[in-house]
Structures are given as structure tokens and as C-alpha cells.
Amino acid sequence: MKTKSLSLITFILLLAGFCPNTFGQPKLSTNPETIINGKIWIPTFSVAQGKQFFLKKLELNGSFKFNGQNFNNLKFFYDLSKEEIITPIQTENNTTCNIVVNPFFLEEFTVLDNQMIYHFKRGDLIHKKLSPANYYQVFTASKITYVIKRTQLRVLSSKTGSEKFNYIDDTNMYAIYKKELSTIKSKADLIKFFPSQKKEIKQFVRFSKLKINRHNPLDAIPLLIKFDQ
């Protein structure tokens, strides 16, 4: 059902020349530092599959902080494979076009999905060792700030002779504690933050059947919710 929905939206975008009618989007202004400061979006590959988009959706709801200015109640989508945030903007001619939001001015954005809130910030605004060319999901618990780099890699299908591409998850997770940035790849990386609870952490990981490793870093989240309070 989800695939059919993505395909339908894609078809509509193609018919509209990547300029769908969108209500409530930011308008073009004579101020060069408004959200218009981006390039027209032309999809390089088929977007019908939808796996390269955050939450597998072509329409997200949320807000931007763009060059110090807040834009609320926006519709947009986030291509994880190309690190692009695409949103429709309304022009002076009362038409709309999809643009790739200028990454040099987009400081942070928030995605609202049902009751979940996902907050992303540009890397250099989180920590000096994070890339200013990437966006990272960020949240702070009691003692530690957690940073998630969500990525979808475009790879050739494993089928012999196939020219089709698939997208695979390549998510990374980091922790900032006392201004130091650490990569989370195993439960050992978390135990160092809570050394007095080493035994309890191991028991929780075993009981919850968590696989905290390079390929499953987000398995750390249930543990963090329990111990970082």
C-alpha cells in the first residue's frame, strides 16, 4: 500500500513538472536570504521506490530554521541518499516549484510524524568534528547528547546481471559527553558512560536481545532510555 502511494505521488510530481500546488509554503521574496535560495529539484533517479527518503515518505510535516529565520507548517521530503531536503515554494507568479533547500543556510529542521518529533541539525552546529555538509538527528537525555547520522546507500542489486539498484541502511550513532564526541558501535561504548551499572547494562542487553553493533547502532536507544536518566 505504501509503495502504491509513493508511486502515485511520484507520478503527480512528474506530471506537474516538479511544481505541485502546495498550500502554506514560503513565498519568493526580494530578500536573497529567504528559503528561495536553493536550486530547482530534478530527481536523478526514480523516486517511486521511496526507500531513500526519511520515514519512506515523500511528504513530511515540520519546520525549518533557515539563516536564523524560522519557517513553520511546511511540507517537504528528505532524501537520505543525496543529503537533500526538498520543499515546494510559491513564486511571485502564484505557481509553485520544488527546490532543494540551500544547505549553506539551512541550520536545522524538525519532522513531526504522528506523536514523534525528529530534530535534525547541521553537523558543525552540533560538534566541531561533525561535517557541516551533513544533517544529523540530535536529542539530549540527562547527561549525554546523542547524534544519529541516517544514510541510505545506493548499491547495485545482488542479483547476477541485474542493473537495478537497491538502497541499504548505513546509519551511524554518536554520543557527546563532556564535549567529547564518541562513536557508538557496541555495548562497551555505552558502559564507559555508566561504569557503575556495567552488570545491569549487560543483563538488560541480554534480556532485551539487543544487538548494539556497527550495523545496528539504534539498538542502543532502549538502553539509553533506561540508564541515562
Side-chain angles (χ1 to χ4, degrees):
M1 185 66 182
K2 186 178 292 185
T3 301
K4 289 182 178 179
S5 177
L6 287 168
S7 299
L8 177 59
I9 295 173
T10 301
F11 180 66
I12 293 172
L13 289 175
L14 292 172
L15 284 180
F18 318 118
C19 297
N21 291 323
T22 305
F23 185 77
Q25 294 296 111
K27 294 184 178 181
L28 175 63
S29 169
T30 53
N31 181 353
E33 295 180 347
T34 59
I35 208 166
I36 187 65
N37 199 313
K39 63 181 181 180
I40 299 294
W41 177 65
I42 300 177
T44 307
F45 310 109
S46 170
V47 297
Q49 190 178 22
K51 291 184 178 180
Q52 69 269 42
F53 293 104
F54 180 57
L55 299 182
K56 308 297 185 289
K57 292 185 177 181
L58 279 169
E59 186 174 275
L60 302 171
N61 300 305
S63 60
F64 291 163
K65 185 175 183 181
F66 186 86
N67 201 30
Q69 184 176 356
N70 293 320
F71 292 82
N72 300 314
N73 302 316
L74 297 180
K75 303 288 186 183
F76 59 97
F77 45 108
Y78 178 21
D79 188 332
L80 295 170
S81 66
K82 298 184 69 176
E83 198 72 19
E84 292 180 342
I85 288 81
I86 301 102
T87 189
I89 58 96
Q90 187 174 354
T91 71
E92 291 175 331
N93 297 324
N94 291 322
T95 60
T96 56
C97 287
N98 280 334
I99 64 163
V100 176
V101 179
N102 192 322
F104 295 104
F105 292 117
L106 182 61
E107 300 167 30
E108 56 188 274
F109 61 95
T110 299
V111 174
L112 308 176
D113 186 60
N114 295 323
Q115 296 183 341
M116 295 294 294
I117 299 175
Y118 302 89
H119 185 206
F120 291 81
K121 294 184 72 172
R122 206 175 63 213
D124 59 317
L125 301 178
I126 301 172
H127 193 276
K128 61 183 180 180
K129 291 185 179 180
L130 295 175
S131 172
N134 296 137
Y135 301 105
Y136 300 79
Q137 184 184 349
V138 59
F139 59 95
T140 301
S142 177
K143 302 177 182 179
I144 304 169
T145 295
Y146 302 98
V147 182
I148 301 171
K149 179 67 189 77
R150 297 179 180 270
T151 305
Q152 290 290 324
L153 300 179
R154 187 172 181 268
V155 297
L156 276 170
S157 173
S158 58
K159 294 181 180 179
T160 304
S162 174
E163 295 182 356
K164 294 183 178 180
F165 287 87
N166 292 322
Y167 289 91
I168 61 171
D169 182 73
D170 188 40
T171 295
N172 290 280
M173 189 168 181
Y174 308 89
I176 300 175
Y177 181 63
K178 295 182 179 180
K179 298 183 179 182
E180 291 295 322
L181 180 73
S182 303
T183 303
I184 296 178
K185 294 183 179 180
S186 68
K187 65 176 180 291
D189 295 322
L190 295 169
I191 288 174
K192 67 181 180 182
F193 297 125
F194 315 104
S196 63
Q197 297 172 288
K198 180 177 180 179
K199 181 178 179 180
E200 292 88 343
I201 288 175
K202 289 184 175 181
Q203 289 176 341
F204 183 81
V205 169
R206 184 168 58 253
F207 178 79
S208 302
K209 297 180 180 180
L210 301 177
K211 298 180 180 179
I212 305 171
N213 54 41
R214 168 64 185 85
H215 301 291
N216 299 282
L218 300 188
D219 266 20
I221 292 178
L223 186 149
L224 300 172
I225 292 173
K226 179 174 177 61
F227 291 93
D228 190 6
Q229 298 180 358

